[in-house]
Amino acid sequence: MSDSGTEAPDTSAEGGDERDVIGGIDLSDDEYVVTQAWIRSKYKVEDSSGEVVLRGKKKRFKMKEDFPFTTPGGDVAFRVKAQNIMDVAGDYNLVDEASGETFAVIQKELTLFQHVYRIRSPEGELWATIESESAAVMALKSFVGILSLIPHSYSISDGSGAGIGTIEERFSLRDQYDITLGDTGDVPREAIMAAAVAIDALEEN
């Protein structure tokens, strides 16, 4: 406290900037490409200039999901941790490796055919929803062989339901997804982008 008896204002979380810093990486770009390696369950994330900003590796058949995303230098930036064993529909914490703190929660809903994920703050506030095409379209892709070749697409909406982005699969021998994210308002956009990247690994399309 200063001699005048007044306290300096606390600006540590002003505008949500502090929460936007995840493991020292920059996820503030509007567009990213997620590519799955020929060996499944390994991923790389490139920004709009083609620079690799993240890599991920997911172990198959784990009783409880816990997999890291690392920087190009190999340092863990954040982890995706299931809250329960053998989650079919459940919650996944996104945990900053440096602080050990959860910066977002992915809530996977159990639905028939359609894939729906809610992105929430650590306190439970709904930040965004990521969902696939309608259940009818997803059902056709599941049961009609030729339609399964049509790329998947997902919409990203904010807490009020307004569209703020998309995830679009490319025609490719390897799974590749373009993630586009617009203005997220007061919600930390890097947390939403990290969640979108993590969901591709959870989907294992």
Side-chain angles (χ1 to χ4, degrees):
M1 183 177 293
S2 65
D3 292 339
S4 64
T6 58
E7 294 183 7
D10 180 8
T11 59
S12 61
E14 239 178 72
D17 290 343
E18 184 177 324
R19 276 187 172 169
D20 274 5
V21 178
I22 301 169
I25 59 170
D26 178 9
L27 286 178
S28 61
D29 205 347
D30 293 336
E31 298 179 6
Y32 290 89
V33 179
V34 180
T35 303
Q36 190 174 60
W38 294 111
I39 301 174
R40 294 183 67 85
S41 301
K42 293 183 68 175
Y43 307 85
K44 68 176 179 180
V45 182
E46 298 169 287
D47 62 19
S48 57
S49 66
E51 181 179 352
V52 176
V53 294
L54 277 176
R55 295 186 185 275
K57 185 176 181 180
K58 181 173 179 285
K59 292 184 179 179
R60 287 175 168 271
F61 311 119
K62 285 198 69 173
M63 292 292 289
K64 189 174 182 180
E65 295 282 13
D66 182 348
F67 58 94
F69 280 90
T70 61
T71 67
D75 296 322
V76 176
F78 68 92
R79 292 181 180 273
V80 181
K81 291 187 174 184
Q83 293 185 6
N84 300 297
I85 294 174
M86 296 295 286
D87 265 334
V88 176
D91 295 346
Y92 300 83
N93 292 342
L94 301 188
V95 181
D96 181 277
E97 185 73 5
S99 67
E101 294 183 357
T102 296
F103 61 85
V105 177
I106 299 174
Q107 183 181 53
K108 181 180 180 181
E109 296 189 359
L110 183 60
T111 59
L112 187 61
F113 297 117
Q114 190 176 25
H115 301 179
V116 179
Y117 296 87
R118 310 288 182 193
I119 314 305
R120 297 186 180 275
S121 72
E123 296 76 30
E125 177 189 354
L126 178 61
W127 279 346
T129 297
I130 297 178
E131 59 186 324
S132 64
E133 303 106 321
S134 69
V137 171
M138 293 295 287
L140 284 172
K141 287 184 176 181
S142 297
F143 293 118
V144 181
I146 189 65
L147 294 182
S148 66
L149 300 177
I150 299 175
H152 294 287
S153 66
Y154 300 79
S155 62
I156 306 175
S157 56
D158 63 17
S160 67
I164 56 173
T166 58
I167 303 175
E168 300 284 348
E169 185 181 15
R170 296 183 181 183
F171 278 108
S172 175
L173 293 177
R174 294 186 292 178
D175 285 337
Q176 282 189 304
Y177 284 84
D178 293 292
I179 302 174
T180 303
L181 187 63
D183 184 11
T184 61
D186 294 332
V187 172
R189 66 177 290 108
E190 295 198 44
I192 303 301
M193 188 64 78
V197 168
I199 283 170
D200 185 58
L202 292 172
E203 287 275 87
E204 284 198 308
N205 289 312

